[in-house]
Amino acid sequence: MLGMEIKLNKERIEKEEKDKTYKNMIYSLDKYFKKYGFDAYEEGEARRYLGHDHPNDFAYLTLIFSRLHRTRWFMENLNYWYLLNSDEKDDPYDFDYEDYLSMLLKNNKLLWLDPKNIKPKEGITAI
């Protein structure tokens, strides 16, 4: 199974954002993922979006990634963002985590992003 896990910085959004609220941001993400057939789940203070082992799940996640990493309100308010993958495991909910932010930082795509905002999920070491 494939999916994404996203945590937005709720405190920063409530304190500094003028145009969007945290609730509106989550609604926008939920609506966008639903368009591609992903279900939304609460994961602590994060959001988890999971596919249904559809053959196009990876292509849809690529489209979602392509749009979100160019969306300023999303990137500026992000604590962490992981690709979830359990395709080669017996338990479909035993995910390997790939850290999208680390990948973007390595490729110099996030020079404008404030590193103090990024806080990895506890207990996760990305691939």
Side-chain angles (χ1 to χ4, degrees), residues 10 36 57 87 98 110 117 120:
K10 188 175 184 177
Y36 291 102
D57 281 353
D87 281 348
E98 183 177 339
L110 301 177
N117 187 43

Side-chain angles (χ1 to χ4, degrees), residues 24-73:
N24 287 345
M25 290 180 184
I26 294 298
Y27 174 78
S28 296
L29 289 171
D30 288 354
K31 184 177 174 184
Y32 190 57
F33 276 90
K34 184 175 183 154
K35 173 182 173 182
Y36 291 102
F38 289 83
D39 295 327
Y41 300 93
E42 290 289 327
E43 180 64 26
E45 295 179 6
R47 253 355 221 182
R48 187 173 274 190
Y49 299 96
L50 299 178
H52 298 277
D53 285 329
H54 188 276
N56 289 329
D57 281 353
F58 185 76
Y60 293 149
L61 285 175
T62 302
L63 290 171
I64 292 167
F65 170 80
S66 176
R67 178 167 178 198
L68 287 180
H69 94 277
R70 292 181 280 123
T71 304
R72 193 166 191 95
W73 66 260

Side-chain angles (χ1 to χ4, degrees), residues 65 69 75 78-83 97-111 113 118-121 124-127:
F65 170 80
H69 94 277
M75 295 302 296
L78 198 55
N79 273 3
Y80 63 76
W81 184 15
Y82 296 114
L83 171 68
Y97 291 75
E98 183 177 339
D99 187 344
Y100 276 141
L101 290 177
S102 292
M103 186 263 306
L104 289 169
L105 285 167
K106 285 178 189 171
N107 293 315
N108 294 323
K109 302 287 185 188
L110 301 177
L111 297 176
L113 193 61
I118 300 168
K119 299 176 183 126
K121 183 176 181 177
I124 298 297
T125 52
I127 301 170

